[in-house]
């Protein structure tokens, strides 16, 4: 088996595994912070793909890493704002169950 | 098996198993702990892929910042030791089936596609100019990859010369910086304690 192809595809498969775990986590967790963890898993799966392509394709040597850095910063911002919303919701309802958040409908 | 493969399998096993445990466990504190191992394993993969700056940023920003934020969120919204938000069995079955189908699709696409098999150049972390390249790209001093094009396809010899795309990232870097500042101000505004209004409302 070709080492390069094996390496890239193995990294892509691991990224896909993290992505799917995040999707299942978002779908099944009823705790709002659990949903947030699912989002983090999805972003990490995408990041693994970016960095793997940056290693195995020299054209994207800088691009993949720069995009991965942007994703990391975006994830930090997203976690901050999501936790603020969750805390605000918990202050009003004393619950973090996403099933009971029906009042947020517009 | 080369050393690269052995290290890959160690980091991949740590990352993948921890990610599965994040999904499986019902206790939100344990899920946060498993997420810590997932993020640390991902940082190990970045170091393995010779992306040392991204790995360091992953450790500092993700493990040291975002995860601590999540853990604080867990603690601030704790609902007593025995309150568990359980998921129904039907939802579990449907979600896992959908997830397996999605993974089969993604894995098949990753496996079947004929990726560009360019040789990964030898990366010596001690002597590489990796961080310098990223810094130059973020400040936009020069083109990030002079020989590269936007699509990543090699330029054919007969084709007309492409317009000089400046593939540097000064503007996205500034946008991300301002975005992060605005988001943090907004988060502080949203999560602030509203004690004063409550005291005024109650006689």
């Amino acid at each position: 088996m070709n080492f390069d192809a094996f390496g890239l595809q193995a990294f892509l498969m691991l990224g896909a595994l993290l992505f799917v775990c995040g999707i299942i986590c978002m779908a099944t967790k009823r705790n709002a912070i659990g949903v947030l963890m699912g989002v983090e898993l999805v972003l990490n799966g995408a990041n693994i793909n970016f960095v793997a392509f940056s290693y195995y394709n020299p054209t994207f040597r800088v691009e993949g890493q720069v995009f991965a850095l942007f994703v990391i910063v975006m994830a930090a911002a997203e976690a901050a704002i999501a936790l603020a919303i969750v805390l605000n919701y918990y202050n009003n309802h004393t619950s973090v169950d996403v099933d009971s958040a029906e009042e947020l409908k517009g | 098996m080369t050393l690269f493969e052995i290290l890959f399998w160690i980091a991949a096993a740590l990352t993948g198993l921890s990610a599965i445990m994040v999904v499986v466990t019902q206790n939100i504190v344990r899920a946060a702990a498993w997420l810590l191992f997932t993020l640390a394993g991902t940082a190990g993969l970045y170091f393995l892929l010779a992306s040392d700056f991204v790995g360091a940023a992953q450790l500092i920003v993700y493990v040291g910042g975002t995860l601590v934020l999540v853990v604080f969120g867990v603690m601030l919204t704790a609902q007593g030791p025995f309150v568990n938000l359980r998921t129904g069995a039907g939802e579990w079955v449907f979600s896992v089936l959908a997830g397996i189908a999605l993974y089969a699709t993604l894995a098949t696409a990753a496996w079947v596609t004929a990726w560009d098999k360019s040789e990964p150049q030898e990366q010596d972390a001690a002597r590489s100019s990796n961080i310098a390249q990223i810094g130059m790209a973020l400040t936009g001093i020069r083109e990030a990859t002079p020989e590269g094009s936007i699509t990543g396809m090699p330029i054919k010899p007969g084709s007309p010369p492409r317009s000089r795309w400046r593939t540097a990232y000064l503007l996205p870097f500034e946008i991300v910086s301002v975005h992060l500042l605005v988001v943090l101000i907004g988060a502080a505004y949203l999560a602030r304690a509203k004690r004063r209004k409550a005291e005024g409302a109650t006689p």
Side-chain angles (χ1 to χ4, degrees):
Chain A
M1 187 177 288
N2 191 354
F3 173 69
D4 302 343
F6 162 77
L8 178 59
Q9 283 160 357
F11 280 101
L12 293 186
M13 295 235 172
L14 185 65
L17 176 68
L18 255 68
F19 182 84
V20 171
C21 280
I23 292 287
I24 297 176
C25 196
M26 279 195 276
T28 56
K29 296 276 182 196
R30 287 177 59 200
N31 194 327
I33 297 176
V35 176
L36 188 60
M37 290 180 189
V39 177
E40 306 288 339
L41 282 180
V42 166
L43 292 172
N44 264 282
N47 250 354
I48 287 180
N49 279 13
F50 275 132
V51 179
F53 276 113
S54 89
Y55 181 73
Y56 284 100
N57 194 342
T59 313
F60 297 142
R61 182 71 195 131
V62 173
E63 275 78 0
Q65 299 182 45
V66 167
F67 290 164
L69 285 172
F70 284 157
V71 170
I72 288 175
V73 174
M74 284 297 147
E78 166 260 334
I81 203 80
L83 278 172
I85 292 173
V86 169
L87 284 183
N88 215 346
Y89 181 74
Y90 180 75
N91 285 338
N92 290 332
H93 297 265
T94 63
S95 167
V96 285
D97 188 357
V98 290
D99 287 347
S100 68
E102 290 176 340
E103 292 177 24
L104 296 183
K105 284 180 187 169
Chain B
M1 269 179 116
T2 60
L3 179 64
F4 185 91
E5 288 184 41
I6 295 170
L7 289 174
F8 168 76
W9 285 117
I10 292 174
L14 177 69
T15 310
L17 290 179
S18 309
I20 292 172
M21 286 308 291
V22 170
V23 179
V24 169
T25 183
Q26 291 286 338
N27 190 334
I28 196 68
V29 181
R30 288 189 186 158
W34 286 115
L35 188 65
L36 168 70
F37 290 113
T38 304
L39 298 177
T42 311
L45 286 173
Y46 295 162
F47 286 122
L48 194 60
L49 288 171
S51 305
D52 36 4
F53 185 71
V54 183
Q58 168 94 2
L59 279 181
I60 294 169
V61 178
Y62 242 123
V63 181
T66 308
L67 194 65
V68 170
L69 213 59
V70 169
V71 170
F72 266 104
V74 169
M75 288 193 297
L76 287 173
T77 59
Q79 298 176 311
F82 298 113
V83 177
N84 265 340
L85 296 173
R86 297 220 174 261
T87 311
E91 294 173 345
W92 264 114
V93 170
F94 186 74
S95 307
V96 169
L97 282 181
I100 288 174
L102 181 59
Y103 184 72
T105 309
L106 291 174
T108 310
W111 191 259
V112 169
T113 307
W115 299 108
D116 184 15
K117 287 177 187 169
S118 49
E119 194 75 22
Q121 64 268 56
E122 278 300 318
Q123 306 279 350
D124 189 354
R127 271 173 292 162
S128 76
S129 58
N130 188 17
I131 297 177
Q133 282 177 337
I134 293 176
M136 298 288 253
L138 284 181
T139 48
I141 290 176
R142 60 163 194 189
E143 286 180 318
T145 50
E147 76 279 9
S149 61
I150 294 296
T151 60
M153 302 299 287
I155 301 173
K156 289 171 191 158
S159 62
R162 292 172 189 272
S163 57
R164 290 195 165 275
W165 291 96
R166 306 294 292 183
T167 56
Y169 298 97
L170 180 61
L171 184 62
F173 181 68
E174 292 295 330
I175 291 174
V176 151
S177 318
V178 176
H179 178 270
L180 192 58
L181 177 68
V182 170
V183 158
L184 289 180
I185 293 173
Y189 174 75
L190 271 180
R192 77 197 188 286
K194 296 190 224 15
R195 292 277 162 71
R196 209 183 304 151
K197 197 183 285 180
E199 284 171 4
T202 52

